[in-house]
């Protein structure tokens, strides 16, 4: 006797999406790499720390509660052939739900201002925008 297939419970939570670091490792696997080859390249250039094949598998299949340490991030960066900064961003996104935004082409002052405004409310952002635009108008009129 066959039982009818059941549809998913509409109130049940969806399966979580794969984390950012897990995704980077999975992409390497999808391109033909293996966990063993990744592990053989996973050596942090600063400390010499390595990560194992089972650790890489764990990150993809059942990520640990704690994020990798900085030396482990360095080893993962070496394994994937990616910059350490990219691995740090993926770790921050996966474990802290923090997405970094790169402000390329701007000086330190602009990055500080953007970082300061990032946590402001909509009304505060509107007020700051109006002040900046008023300053720009006044500067153009005085020239």
């Amino acid at each position: 006797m066959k039982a009818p297939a059941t549809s998913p419970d509409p109130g049940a939570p969806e399966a979580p999406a794969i984390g950012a670091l897990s995704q980077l490792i999975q992409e390497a696997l999808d391109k033909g790499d293996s966990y063993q080859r990744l592990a053989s390249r996973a050596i942090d250039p600063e400390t010499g720390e390595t990560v194992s094949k089972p650790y890489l598998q764990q990150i993809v299949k059942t990520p640990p509660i704690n994020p990798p340490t900085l030396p482990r991030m360095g080893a993962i960066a070496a394994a994937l052939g990616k910059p350490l900064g990219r691995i740090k961003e993926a770790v921050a996104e996966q474990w802290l739900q923090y997405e970094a935004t790169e402000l390329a082409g701007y000086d330190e002052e602009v990055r500080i201002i953007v970082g300061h405004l990032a946590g402001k409310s909509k009304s505060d952002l509107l007020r700051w925008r109006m002040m900046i635009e008023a300053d720009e108008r006044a500067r153009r009129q005085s020239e």
Side-chain angles (χ1 to χ4, degrees), residues 21-130:
L21 182 61
S22 302
Q23 183 64 43
L24 288 176
I25 296 169
Q26 185 61 56
E27 287 170 3
L29 297 170
D30 292 345
K31 291 178 182 172
D33 239 324
S34 69
Y35 285 114
Q36 188 58 56
R37 283 194 299 268
L38 290 173
S40 69
R41 295 191 306 257
I43 304 167
D44 178 41
E46 297 289 318
T47 66
E49 183 161 339
T50 62
V51 295
S52 65
K53 173 184 168 182
Y55 183 75
L56 293 169
Q57 289 172 319
Q58 181 184 24
I59 289 176
V60 173
K61 297 179 188 299
T62 56
I65 292 173
N66 295 318
T69 62
L70 186 56
R72 282 186 169 183
M73 286 186 242
I76 293 167
L80 297 174
K82 302 225 180 257
L84 179 58
R86 176 65 189 105
I87 302 305
K88 287 179 178 180
E89 289 172 0
V91 167
E93 187 177 334
Q94 182 163 335
W95 275 270
L96 303 175
Q97 288 75 51
Y98 175 80
E99 273 192 69
T101 302
E102 181 65 32
L103 294 173
Y106 295 100
D107 65 12
E108 187 63 23
E109 292 301 316
V110 171
R111 287 194 291 272
I112 289 169
I113 292 167
V114 170
H116 177 75
L117 294 177
K120 299 288 185 189
S121 69
K122 289 273 190 199
S123 62
D124 282 344
L125 289 174
L126 178 60
R127 188 171 56 85
W128 277 95
R129 180 179 178 171
M130 292 171 73

